[in-house]
Amino acid sequence: PGAGDGIQAIKAGLLEIADVFAVNKCDRPGAEQAVRQLSLLLEMEHKESTDWFVPVIQTNALDGTGLTNLRSSIDSHQAHLKTAGELGKRRADYLKAALREALRAAINERVESYIEGPSGARLLESLDDGGLPFDVARLLLEKQFTQK
């Protein structure tokens, strides 16, 4: 609270992805204003295609204020997703994204290791001295990493 939270949420793209908001440290000055701003922004951003209105819950992690309401809102959202038939789709989307990210990380690690190794040094040298066109180098690397 008190640090332009609504603007920060917009900048971070949180309005589009969050299903429940928790404004922590609700005992601090500016917390009520942060909740009002966030609620107003969410109201303006509400998509007609959904009947879920994103709640803004005030919490204080130090003394537990609002945690029961937060848990209740999360449970309500999960029930909403089940009823709307969206829970399975969201889980599948999450798993696909997680697999893609894990694969990207593994591939990046292999590519970096290759490029930093002796074979990569030779390839880079051939590129640098003009003896090998970039597209040919890319194709060689593709072949290196797609062989079975």
Side-chain angles (χ1 to χ4, degrees):
D5 299 298
I7 299 301
Q8 294 304 317
I10 291 171
K11 286 181 182 177
L14 294 177
L15 294 182
E16 292 84 21
I17 61 171
D19 297 311
V20 175
F21 274 96
V23 175
N24 195 30
K25 301 179 183 179
C26 66
D27 59 327
R28 290 200 174 174
E32 288 290 331
Q33 182 181 1
V35 169
R36 279 193 306 274
Q37 287 176 345
L38 193 51
S39 296
L40 181 61
L41 288 168
L42 289 166
E43 193 175 308
M44 292 184 328
E45 290 289 320
H46 180 73
K47 294 174 180 44
E48 297 294 325
S49 62
T50 180
D51 56 351
W52 178 256
F53 288 91
V54 178
V56 180
I57 310 298
Q58 295 184 52
T59 63
N60 185 332
L62 293 178
D63 67 10
T65 299
L67 296 182
T68 302
N69 288 343
L70 179 59
R71 179 77 244 175
S72 176
S73 292
I74 292 168
D75 291 343
S76 294
H77 185 256
Q78 185 173 24
H80 167 76
L81 290 176
K82 284 180 184 176
T83 301
E86 285 289 311
L87 188 59
K89 181 186 177 311
R90 281 196 180 195
R91 284 186 176 155
D93 289 347
Y94 168 78
L95 291 172
K96 287 178 196 175
L99 285 171
R100 284 184 185 110
E101 185 54 37
L103 185 57
R104 279 186 195 103
I107 289 169
N108 284 340
E109 188 177 308
R110 285 187 62 203
V111 168
E112 285 299 315
S113 178
Y114 181 88
I115 287 175
E116 296 299 326
S119 297
R122 286 191 298 275
L123 184 68
L124 291 171
E125 187 178 311
S126 295
L127 279 168
D128 190 42
D129 68 17
L132 185 65
F134 183 85
D135 287 341
V136 173
R138 182 187 55 79
L139 289 171
L140 288 170
L141 283 174
E142 267 185 42
K143 185 176 180 183
Q144 172 72 25
F145 292 106
T146 58
Q147 290 178 356
K148 297 186 182 207

